[in-house]
Amino acid sequence: MVIDYEIKKQTPTNIDDLVKMASVKTNWRKRLEAINELKKSDCQQSRDVLIRLAVHDRIYKVMEEAFSAAQAIGITTKNGKPMYLGKKDIGYNSGDFKKAFLRIKREGNLKQLDIQVLKNKFLQAQPEMYDVMLYEKGNKFETWIGNVYNALIR
């Protein structure tokens, strides 16, 4: 692996902001941005955040980046055990989506499908799930929402 940045053995001045950014579960882009800054500094706080994201994040791209950054600064273990990049697991199953959409339908009194209204209610009700699926489905996100919702009507 070629590292195109210099790793500093000091705590960045904006470490608190970076830790907060890395903790935003509703915006995977912010977490990636935080990783890109945290990997430039080798301090305990950046190590802790990188390990947490490498092991527990639901967005696989975030996990991969955090894992690579952790390896680049020499982190190879967590609690004395070797650290491995886990398999892709978004942490939700079809039942979770069904339950969320049924709740949105019931509480929103949605009689017919309106993608924009459904997206907004989904974002309000389940922001982390929304973010994960927005990443996973990409430009097919709206189609996916419509399909899940329509499957509930049948």
Side-chain angles (χ1 to χ4, degrees):
M1 174 192 295
V2 176
I3 299 174
D4 60 345
Y5 53 89
E6 183 180 328
I7 298 174
K8 298 175 185 157
K9 295 272 186 187
Q10 63 187 34
T11 304
T13 56
N14 62 341
I15 190 68
D16 292 334
D17 294 333
L18 294 173
V19 170
K20 284 179 187 174
M21 280 177 62
S23 298
V24 176
K25 292 189 177 280
T26 58
N27 191 331
W28 63 270
R29 287 180 180 92
K30 280 192 185 253
R31 293 194 307 278
L32 273 182
E33 189 179 326
I35 290 168
N36 287 327
E37 290 301 313
L38 289 168
K39 69 183 181 184
K40 296 175 186 174
S41 299
D42 186 6
C43 67
Q44 190 58 50
Q45 286 174 296
S46 64
R47 285 173 163 264
D48 292 344
V49 170
L50 291 173
I51 290 171
R52 178 177 49 82
L53 293 175
V55 174
H56 299 293
D57 205 90
R58 292 185 178 200
I59 304 287
Y60 195 70
K61 182 175 183 163
V62 173
M63 279 180 79
E64 281 181 315
E65 290 295 320
F67 184 78
S68 295
Q71 285 190 321
I73 61 174
I75 302 170
T76 57
T77 60
K78 179 185 179 206
N79 298 331
K81 297 179 183 173
M83 211 168 74
Y84 298 101
L85 182 60
K87 64 181 182 174
K88 183 176 181 177
D89 178 16
I90 62 171
Y92 300 110
N93 60 42
S94 58
D96 297 328
F97 301 122
K98 181 179 178 182
K99 190 184 300 182
F101 279 80
L102 282 172
R103 180 176 168 220
I104 291 167
K105 182 181 177 196
R106 182 182 63 248
E107 290 177 3
N109 293 322
L110 301 177
K111 304 294 182 207
Q112 62 185 23
L113 177 62
D114 181 339
I115 293 290
Q116 286 309 117
V117 170
L118 190 55
K119 278 175 53 176
N120 289 337
K121 291 194 179 290
F122 183 32
L123 177 60
Q124 291 171 358
Q126 297 286 337
E128 186 177 0
M129 185 186 289
Y130 181 96
D131 186 56
V132 168
M133 295 314 294
L134 182 61
Y135 172 79
E136 290 295 322
K137 299 301 179 183
N139 58 4
K140 296 179 182 176
F141 181 65
E142 289 184 2
T143 304
W144 172 79
I145 285 180
N147 291 340
V148 171
Y149 187 80
N150 286 330
L152 297 176
I153 295 172
R154 295 181 191 144

